[in-house]
Amino acid sequence: MVIPVHDVNPVRRTPWVTYTLVAANVLVFLYTPGLAGSVAGDSSLSQLCHLQAFLDHYAAVPRELIHHQMPRLVPTGDVAVGAHGAGCVVAPPAYDKSPPVSVFTAMFLHGSWLHLLGNMLFLMIFGNNVEDRMGHVRFTLFYLVCGYAASYGFALFNADSTDPLIGASGAIAGVLGAYLVLYPRARVWVLVPFLVFLPLRLPAWLVLGFWFALQAVYSSGGGVSAAGTVAYAAHVVGFVVGMLLAWPLKPGTPPPPEPPGLLFGRQARPRQTW
């Protein structure tokens, strides 16, 4: 998988919504109970129970989204010792959970630093230009629609799953789909792992097209064991929805600057003009 680090596509205005989304995701992660120990690699049972209780409350769960079947017992965050040893205490929920609202809250939750930083990297690189083209308000609505579509799309394919669905990946996949439609020729600096990380400058259609192809393969179970723990189907749905929503804006989108050279930023041969 290539790692994007920068795109050669300047913006006309400050992407305040993109910056706000990044800041909100980082702050929520830092204040998520139970993650401090897991980040440091020293997770206690108490921390894990607090994290599980928090996710059951605020994460989106496919079974709840599709069937509106709420669990009778949920973790409370407490630890107790039973016949089989220490474990998390479960009890009837002391809160009323709204499945549609949980989709919104889940979009700001992440399970690890790697999960968070990977999502924020893609959002920072590609979100600013999509926001610049759509405007702040439309981009905010676009981001939320893609996130909801991705979550419900994944839930439709996994209607009986009780695993919590968290992360901004579905909404960010929509941003990537929109960028592919609006700026397919924009150049993107990427790092390609080949013995060492090799820096290349490639067109966006190649970088994002390759990313989408991987998500499609993984969502079908190819290349991963039991589809892993990543909701690849949500990425696919979010990406396609982002493309469709951005398509009407394509005719009026100014092309990105055309930098000389493709690889390593070297100067290309001079082009003749006629």
Side-chain angles (χ1 to χ4, degrees):
M1 182 62 185
V2 298
I3 304 173
V5 293
H6 176 65
D7 67 331
V8 186
N9 194 3
V11 295
R12 300 165 298 173
R13 48 190 164 187
T14 305
W16 293 116
V17 176
T18 299
Y19 292 161
T20 301
L21 288 171
V22 171
N25 277 277
V26 172
L27 287 174
V28 170
F29 179 82
L30 292 177
Y31 285 96
T32 299
L35 276 181
S38 64
V39 171
D42 185 27
S43 299
S44 66
L45 178 59
S46 176
Q47 290 171 328
L48 293 176
C49 290
H50 275 89
L51 178 59
Q52 186 176 358
F54 182 83
L55 294 181
D56 279 1
H57 189 178
Y58 294 105
V61 177
R63 186 174 182 178
E64 297 173 3
L65 296 180
I66 302 303
H67 301 300
H68 291 272
Q69 295 180 355
M70 311 306 293
R72 294 186 299 106
L73 299 175
V74 297
T76 64
D78 297 325
V79 178
V81 179
H84 301 285
C88 300
V89 176
V90 294
Y95 51 81
D96 292 325
K97 181 178 180 180
S98 170
V101 174
S102 71
V103 175
F104 176 80
T105 55
M107 291 167 59
F108 295 90
L109 302 177
H110 293 83
S112 67
W113 275 110
L114 183 62
H115 187 199
L116 172 71
L117 294 179
N119 277 345
M120 296 305 101
L121 175 65
F122 276 81
L123 179 58
M124 283 292 295
I125 293 174
F126 301 105
N128 58 348
N129 291 104
V130 177
E131 179 182 350
D132 187 52
R133 179 66 183 91
M134 293 184 174
H136 305 312
V137 175
R138 281 199 296 180
F139 177 72
T140 303
L141 296 175
F142 166 84
Y143 184 89
L144 294 175
V145 169
C146 290
Y148 269 82
S151 295
Y152 274 97
F154 176 82
L156 285 174
F157 291 105
N158 301 271
D160 294 323
S161 173
T162 57
D163 295 330
L165 181 63
I166 61 173
S169 305
I172 295 173
V175 173
L176 303 186
Y179 193 101
L180 178 61
V181 168
L182 299 175
Y183 305 105
R185 295 179 177 273
R187 295 291 190 261
V188 180
W189 280 103
V190 300
L191 297 177
V192 180
F194 184 75
L195 300 180
V196 295
F197 283 102
L198 187 66
L200 299 177
R201 189 168 63 191
L202 305 175
W205 65 263
L206 181 60
V207 176
L208 299 179
F210 179 67
W211 182 89
F212 177 74
L214 282 180
Q215 308 311 302
V217 170
Y218 291 159
S219 67
S220 66
V224 291
S225 58
T229 58
V230 180
Y232 293 108
H235 301 173
V236 173
V237 173
F239 193 93
V240 172
V241 170
M243 291 184 66
L244 294 175
L245 292 177
W247 200 267
L249 299 176
K250 181 176 176 61
T253 303
E258 185 73 21
L262 179 62
L263 307 180
F264 307 104
R266 294 180 298 181
Q267 295 291 325
R269 290 182 297 176
R271 292 178 293 180
Q272 295 181 344
T273 56
W274 300 88

